Amino acid sequence: MEKWSLMTLTVLLALTVRWAVSLGSYSGAGKPPMYGDYEAQRHWQEITYNLPIRQWYFNTSDNNLLYWGLDYPPLTAYHSFVCAYIAKLINPDWVALHTSRGYESQPHKLFMRTTVFVADLLVYIPAVILYCFSLKETSAKKKASTCALCILLYPGLILIDHGHFQYPLSLGLALWAVLCLSHDWDLLGSVAFCLALNYKQMELYHSLPFFCYLLGKCFKKGLKGKGLVLLAKLAGTVLLSFAACWLPFGTDVEQIMQVLRRLFPIDRGLFEACMFSSPTHCPDKVANIWCSLSVLIKIKNVISPRTQLKLSFAVTFLSLLPACIKLTVQPSLRGFKFALVSCALSFFLFSFQVHEKSILLVSIPVCLVINEIPFMATWFLLVSTFSLLPLLLKDGLLLPYAATAPAFLAVCLASFSILDKTSAEDLQLKAFSLSLKGYTSWFKSFPRIVRSLFLLSLSLMGILSVLSAAAPPPQRLPDLFPVAVAVVSCLHFLLFLLYFNVLILWDSKNKGQKKIS
């Protein structure tokens, strides 16, 4: 009973923070003609309710794809239709075809915010709670609620979902998939992940760890016996899940191809976030390698879009290959969770058409290991929130950012005493340190070095946050602060990528591994 009381208080606090953030501004508020992601979600409700399915992804007189045309998989469209049906019952003006474009009112804002709350309560928050209770390391009542509190108070997701405006459904479904796999419910986990992927195609960031873990599990069981049966069941489950999601579009090949073209618009080039910008100015600076390199080399002017695609694919593939091979050869739940982080981070840093919000696809897997490596997880989650700063400032979310980020740090300090957990053993680097026999003396001062770097990092992020919010940039360098935020964040992410790959490759074969039979 006590554990549920603590968890109830945790959830109430998390909901209170979400409610407080939702009172503020949202993406594109009062900024015609495109407005922002809030209007995009409302517009999809308008389109899916008023037009037949065959027109949802096509450019027509009633569906101008240049104005927030649908570019997510079918489950997003179905969800928009359900929201639109409810909206129509409350106020038909909210989803009226054409005339509702740019609709803004307090009642409508309340409705839209409520739909996000409902998605959180039904999908994301239950997955977090059950995941924390399932952790073997957090069997104590207090530990489970503490872990849940830190995950649910992660500011990046709160600010994007309840501030900027976005639904947590794909990430919530992915969490359910991880939870199912941790209980050996592989078929249910496959269904959950297929649903996540069919809600947002960015879940491809997590697809390889799921594939490699389940394939490795089949190998371990033996492909001439139980493993082959499991492989066949998994393949059938995936095919049926996709068929169910795509059924309304499956009767026409052109429909399927048009949806795929909308999901993967490779002609936009390497910098997806600039799709609505002028050729000379991009307000959305993404903290990945390509945007950071573009400060020195104008990649768009030097390399053709097709070559950009090939280059980003090659670098992404090579960067995630070691983790995927290790996971396939030695499948374990621990390795699976770390591979989710590593592969998602590789996609974010090196892949094609990355949006700054995609860092959340890395952050949620990091939340899953916060009980194992609290210091590094907290550090990463703070940097990921900081990397969103230009977007948050553009949406008028400075105050929520300034309140939630320090509060999250304080909770992690109080919950995990993270500054006392910086030794090689605490950071899960013991095996790696033993392989560097000639450098053991350096590892003696390792905790002090790591703490110093962490404090330096916090100071740098704090200074850049203040400058971005309060100081006017030089006239000749109007994007100085967003670029600085992106580059500093990118450098952090590169170091984190190295760290997580070291964790994966030097992890003991049987440590924390659930036996697969």
Side-chain angles (χ1 to χ4, degrees), residues 290 298-309 311:
W290 307 119
K298 299 303 177 185
I299 298 174
K300 291 192 291 183
N301 300 331
V302 176
I303 305 175
S304 68
R306 291 286 172 178
T307 305
Q308 293 171 23
L309 177 61
L311 177 63

Side-chain angles (χ1 to χ4, degrees), residues 42-43 45-47 49-50 84 87-88 91-103:
R42 189 218 57 79
H43 181 64
Q45 294 174 20
E46 170 195 346
I47 292 301
Y49 187 85
N50 291 287
K88 178 81 172 181
N91 187 341
D93 290 343
W94 293 350
V95 290
L97 191 62
H98 302 310
T99 58
S100 63
R101 180 174 291 193
Y103 192 98

Side-chain angles (χ1 to χ4, degrees), residues 421-431 433 443 446-447 503:
K421 297 182 179 179
T422 57
S423 67
E425 190 170 357
D426 289 324
L427 300 183
Q428 310 285 327
L429 294 174
K430 189 69 174 177
S433 65
F443 267 91
F446 185 72
L503 279 188

